[in-house]
Amino acid sequence: MRRPHIRTVAVAVAVATAATGLAGTAFAGPSTAGVERSATATGPTAVVKAAQAAAFAHASATGVSQGDELQPQDVLIDPEGARHVRFERTHGGLPVLGGDLVVHLDHKLAYTGVTRAADHAVKAATGTAKLTEKQAAAKAAQAAKGDAGSVQLVVDAREGASALAYQVKVTDQGTSHTVVVDAVTGKVRSNTPDSDEFLSPKLLDTLQERGESADPATGTPASGLLGAGASGAAAYPSSAKGTGKTLFVGNVGLTTTQTSRGHYQLKDPSRYGTEVRDAKGSQTEKFSSGSKLTNTNNVWGNGKTTSRASAAADAQYGITKTLDFYKSTFQRKGIANNSKPAQGMVHWGKKVANAFWDPTCNCMLYGDGDGDMFKKPLVVLDVTGHELTHGVVEATADLQPTFVDEDGNQYGEPGALNESLADIFGSNVEFYAKNTKDTPDYLIGEKLGLAQKFLRRLDHPSLDKLEGTIDYWSSDTYYTEVHAGSGVSSHAYYLLAEGSGKKTIGGVAYNSPTYQNIAVKGIGRTKATAIFYRALTRYMVSTTDFHQARTATLKAAKDLYGASSTEYKTVDKAWSAVNVTAANTPSARH
């Protein structure tokens, strides 16, 4: 799940060179030879200035109008020299919800195109605010059933609108919502949970109705694997090699911090200071409030839930493997590509049957399970890869759900695409980790212990009967819950990577069907993943739907391999095989 989120406008510009991990020319094969760097900027760079000027010079295409200001979020520089500048927009000094856009330039900084969220020019919101901030806060608190916090006047340009509104933060017992209230009519325009929950309210209700209990098997720690002990370093803190005795992936090596002779902390100095802490049952959204995990033997956990550190070892392993996947594959330095640590808190809340990506603390929050439906902490590897990918999406396209029901279930294609990308890259984390205790596969949540044996799967999404995931696009997909709707693009990705029909990979049997029995021959997971990542970071925005995702991946394939390439043609065929084509593109819904 995701929430409408406006990042602060005082954001440094990240400049990424060869951020897809593709060295050399535009048509080079995937490689890890590219170099990515993040740089802060106190003022606009030449690239940003050129993109801003181009946006106004090509206003009919970009939708930028008088009164707009463009705030740079990041700049991506491709190996062949193309530039992509992502902007958030203010209008009349007010942040614009749904106003984000990416301006594309060539190596000479000439305008080549735009990817935009709002398909119309953002005009000054009609009327003046009739509600006061206090009145808007009261309406928001009532809608989200909590206490109102910050209130900000914005322009809501989503869904073709141009309305003056208040954006209100509402919190309740460790959870929070972002509520948008019309400043003229008082109508609640949206009410979205801030946290990104792995398990939707709809799924939890389904499991409860079925009386299903998920009790995942935990690994048996191998004997004889011990921590490194004191490193002998004279200066502290220093890096040390420890051992995690995890619940799900056996005994694993962990890089930790030796704080003094014979004392260690579960914090990885080699990965920006990435750290896991113990929430000790609290529902805090402040990482600093979590308890540091320390010991004197550099061995974390015992492979069982009797040690609080076992779940922490799983979480630290999953977070570091996710970071390593993104850095090794795309040269991405951290979740937001800013060389900052990824963080997590285990034992969050009491009897919480979920795991979250929480934008408020920019960290992972792991519940211990409710002891009924879920009997163990939700710290399995692909859950972590999935949730941290939501952080990557937030830092790039920031895909948003279209609407949310009163129970917190989210709907709409951009939200479904967000869930799909989290599944796609979450499964890639497993392939990257190559852990024998968690065999890499195209299944999501297969270690959760569900009777279905998995939560979702990419090859044949509709085999997921719990969420009712769909294989193909239809006009009804717009109204589908995001986890169920994710099957459309997840299926397209699998077909692009592996092709249609029967296939066995790593001992797992797959049999991927297609719309109207279109045969697809895959191009391989490496190329498919490079295309989807490039599409996300260059050509997707907060409102991207499945047909626009098709266009984005075609542009990415053209960049990487050429418009006449097999890769480009297979992207087109993979989307056709899930019934997403140029011919059936729906008209805008306003």
Side-chain angles (χ1 to χ4, degrees), residues 195-267:
S195 62
D196 171 19
E197 301 175 346
F198 184 70
L199 305 173
S200 69
K202 183 179 179 181
L203 173 63
L204 294 174
D205 287 345
T206 300
L207 291 171
Q208 188 171 26
E209 289 170 4
R210 294 186 177 194
E212 184 167 337
S213 177
D215 191 6
T218 55
T220 302
S223 60
L225 185 59
L226 301 176
S231 67
Y236 304 108
S238 62
S239 178
K241 298 298 182 183
T243 298
K245 294 191 173 184
T246 71
L247 296 174
F248 297 110
V249 289
N251 286 353
V252 295
L254 296 174
T255 301
T256 61
T257 298
Q258 186 172 8
T259 56
S260 63
R261 184 176 178 83
H263 293 85
Y264 305 90
Q265 183 179 348
L266 193 57
K267 182 176 182 179

Side-chain angles (χ1 to χ4, degrees), residues 399-424:
L399 291 155
Q400 303 293 337
T402 309
F403 58 98
V404 184
D405 67 19
E406 60 183 11
D407 296 319
N409 294 296
Q410 301 185 19
Y411 297 83
E413 293 183 21
L417 181 58
N418 193 337
E419 291 298 332
S420 170
L421 291 166
D423 281 353
I424 289 167

Side-chain angles (χ1 to χ4, degrees), residues 433-450:
K434 298 178 183 178
N435 188 293
T436 57
K437 298 287 186 179
D438 192 352
T439 306
D441 51 46
Y442 290 103
L443 311 178
I444 302 300
E446 74 278 5
K447 299 275 286 185
L448 291 177
L450 296 166

